Amino acid sequence: MADILSLVIDTIPFIAIFSVISLSLNLEYGYAGLPNFGKVLPILGGAIVAGSLVPRMIQVVFVDAPKTDYIFNNGPASVELQAYMNTHPANSLLMMLLGMAIAICFGAFLGYIAVLPAFKLREDYLAITLIAIAEIFRAINRNYDPILNGTRGVSVPDPLGWLGPKSWVYLYVSSLLLIASLLFTSYMLRTPFGRALRAMRENELAAESLGINTRSLRVKAMVVGSAIAAAAGYIDTMYSGGLTVDKYDRYLYTFIPWLMVLMGGAGNNLGVIIGVSIYWASSRAINFYKEQILSGISWILNIWGTPVDVSWFDVTRIERLVFAIVIILILYLRPQGILPEKPIETPGYRYVASIFKGRAIRSGEEDEGSGRG
């Protein structure tokens, strides 16, 4: 029982972090129609601020902080910095909040750089361009050692280590980030900006004919979405306690958020959070019971009496295989997701809906009066 509770507490921060990432993707794709297949770009940007910049900021700003080289002598430096942070909570908290602000600004900047080709490209070419830009960014950080010590990565000290058990602390921190992101995006999508995003998504030419500047909208959607994603990447690295570029690959930080958005329902924030929760619950269950799943597959294949050797199959790949099949089935059978997008009930929408509702009632009364009901 204690193991299950520990597993749940450990999983909730991941659900919250990936909900924030998926909400940002939902803003870009679900509402604005931008196919951002380079989602890993701003997430890695926020992670780099957390893993590479914040510890060095502490070393530079505070004269009594340990000065061991953080990148090329990372092990001892991380231990010394963690001890310093545990004994100087105010300094640690200040640098963490400052780092979060820098991560959000850096993510917004990366989003702005990434969307610049959108001025001249259609959605399909834009998707390919975003993948290329994200890969260039990953390659630079992977091969330029002064940023993250190359492929070796760095161990990241926890600025909130003085608060108590890490799982509980980041359960609250990530939940607060999710609530803030959800409130911010939900409010923004109810403003004229959100309605303009939907108009651009539905028909870009029609939106432009009504005076909507679609180029400016694309930039704003990508900048805001990337800033939110960078904040998630920042907390993700603080929680995991380590950072390598290879951790932030296209599968986990681009394909999986797309799966979550499509499964939950593009254009519906609540549906997206449901999609994230289903993914993590399924992922944990698959990894927990993968040996039993493989035994079951072997039993089914051997049921006709002809032995089939499945020892060649890598059980660690079961999760990827299952979710690849799931996303194909979703796209074929229910492309609108679990919770489809709902219309925004503006005053004009409610007025038109009341007219049609009134007509329907009158029509029913007339039918009853004429004896046809």
Side-chain angles (χ1 to χ4, degrees), residues 33-105:
L34 298 174
N36 188 359
F37 290 123
K39 194 63 201 171
V40 68
L41 173 67
I43 301 170
L44 178 57
I48 289 172
V49 173
S52 181
L53 184 61
V54 170
R56 288 194 273 196
M57 283 168 51
I58 292 175
Q59 289 182 323
V60 171
V61 172
F62 302 109
V63 293
D64 56 340
K67 306 300 181 185
T68 305
D69 191 308
Y70 174 70
I71 294 297
F72 296 109
N73 198 10
N74 178 254
S78 296
V79 173
E80 293 171 3
L81 279 169
Q82 188 62 68
Y84 177 81
M85 290 176 177
N86 291 342
T87 54
H88 297 75
N91 295 350
S92 303
L93 184 60
L94 176 64
M95 287 296 108
M96 182 178 180
L97 294 177
L98 180 60
M100 172 65 89
I102 294 172
I104 292 173
C105 294

Side-chain angles (χ1 to χ4, degrees), residues 63-368:
V63 293
D64 56 340
K67 306 300 181 185
T68 305
D69 191 308
Y70 174 70
I71 294 297
F72 296 109
N73 198 10
N74 178 254
S78 296
V79 173
E80 293 171 3
L81 279 169
Q82 188 62 68
Y84 177 81
M85 290 176 177
N86 291 342
T87 54
H88 297 75
N91 295 350
S92 303
L93 184 60
L94 176 64
M95 287 296 108
M96 182 178 180
L97 294 177
L98 180 60
M100 172 65 89
I102 294 172
I104 292 173
C105 294
F106 187 48
F109 172 73
L110 290 174
Y112 179 77
I113 296 295
V115 81
L116 286 181
F119 288 145
K120 294 183 179 180
L121 298 177
R122 295 199 322 252
E123 279 74 10
D124 45 359
Y125 291 105
L126 173 63
I128 297 171
T129 305
L130 290 174
I131 294 174
I133 293 174
E135 285 306 301
I136 291 171
F137 187 66
R138 289 184 71 246
I140 291 173
N141 287 286
R142 196 172 189 272
N143 294 286
Y144 186 60
D145 288 353
I147 299 177
L148 290 175
N149 201 14
T151 57
R152 294 174 291 278
V154 291
S155 177
V156 182
D158 180 15
L160 301 179
W162 46 275
L163 274 176
K166 196 169 191 176
S167 297
W168 283 102
V169 171
Y170 280 90
L171 185 150
Y172 293 120
V173 171
S174 58
S175 299
L176 285 175
L177 178 64
L178 171 59
I179 293 170
S181 302
L182 183 61
L183 291 176
F184 175 71
T185 53
S186 298
Y187 169 75
M188 190 175 61
L189 292 170
R190 290 184 177 278
T191 64
F193 172 71
R195 293 192 285 275
L197 287 181
R198 290 189 178 193
M200 179 178 70
R201 178 197 63 189
E202 296 299 327
N203 192 320
E204 192 168 330
L205 289 177
E208 289 178 349
S209 69
L210 295 173
I212 296 174
N213 187 341
T214 57
R215 290 186 175 185
S216 174
L217 273 182
R218 284 184 171 195
V219 173
K220 290 177 182 175
M222 281 291 291
V223 166
V224 174
S226 298
I228 296 172
Y234 183 84
I235 296 299
D236 184 44
T237 294
M238 291 288 184
Y239 180 50
S240 63
L243 174 60
T244 62
V245 175
D246 291 337
K247 175 194 171 188
Y248 290 88
D249 60 1
R250 289 190 304 276
Y251 171 75
L252 188 56
Y253 290 92
T254 297
F255 174 78
I256 291 301
W258 270 94
L259 168 67
M260 294 166 173
V261 170
L262 294 175
M263 183 163 57
N268 189 320
N269 283 343
L270 179 60
V272 167
I273 294 175
I274 292 174
V276 174
S277 304
I278 290 174
Y279 166 79
W280 275 107
S282 306
S283 174
R284 294 291 183 178
I286 290 171
N287 280 295
F288 196 77
Y289 294 106
K290 57 189 177 187
E291 295 294 343
Q292 289 83 349
I293 293 172
L294 189 61
S295 299
I297 294 173
S298 176
W299 181 81
I300 292 172
L301 292 176
N302 294 332
I303 199 169
W304 290 279
T306 304
V308 179
D309 182 16
V310 295
S311 60
W312 55 270
F313 188 77
D314 184 0
V315 293
T316 60
R317 298 293 178 182
I318 286 180
E319 179 190 328
R320 294 192 178 204
L321 180 64
V322 168
F323 286 117
I325 295 172
V326 167
I327 197 168
I328 292 172
L329 292 176
I330 290 172
L331 293 175
Y332 268 105
L333 303 177
R334 193 173 172 82
Q336 71 272 31
I338 296 171
L339 289 183
E341 182 181 7
K342 292 182 179 179
I344 298 176
E345 295 190 4
T346 61
Y349 175 86
R350 287 194 290 269
Y351 175 71
V352 173
S354 66
I355 291 175
F356 281 100
K357 186 177 180 181
R359 286 181 179 176
I361 293 173
R362 285 196 297 273
S363 175
E365 291 173 349
E366 289 173 2
D367 290 343
E368 289 178 359

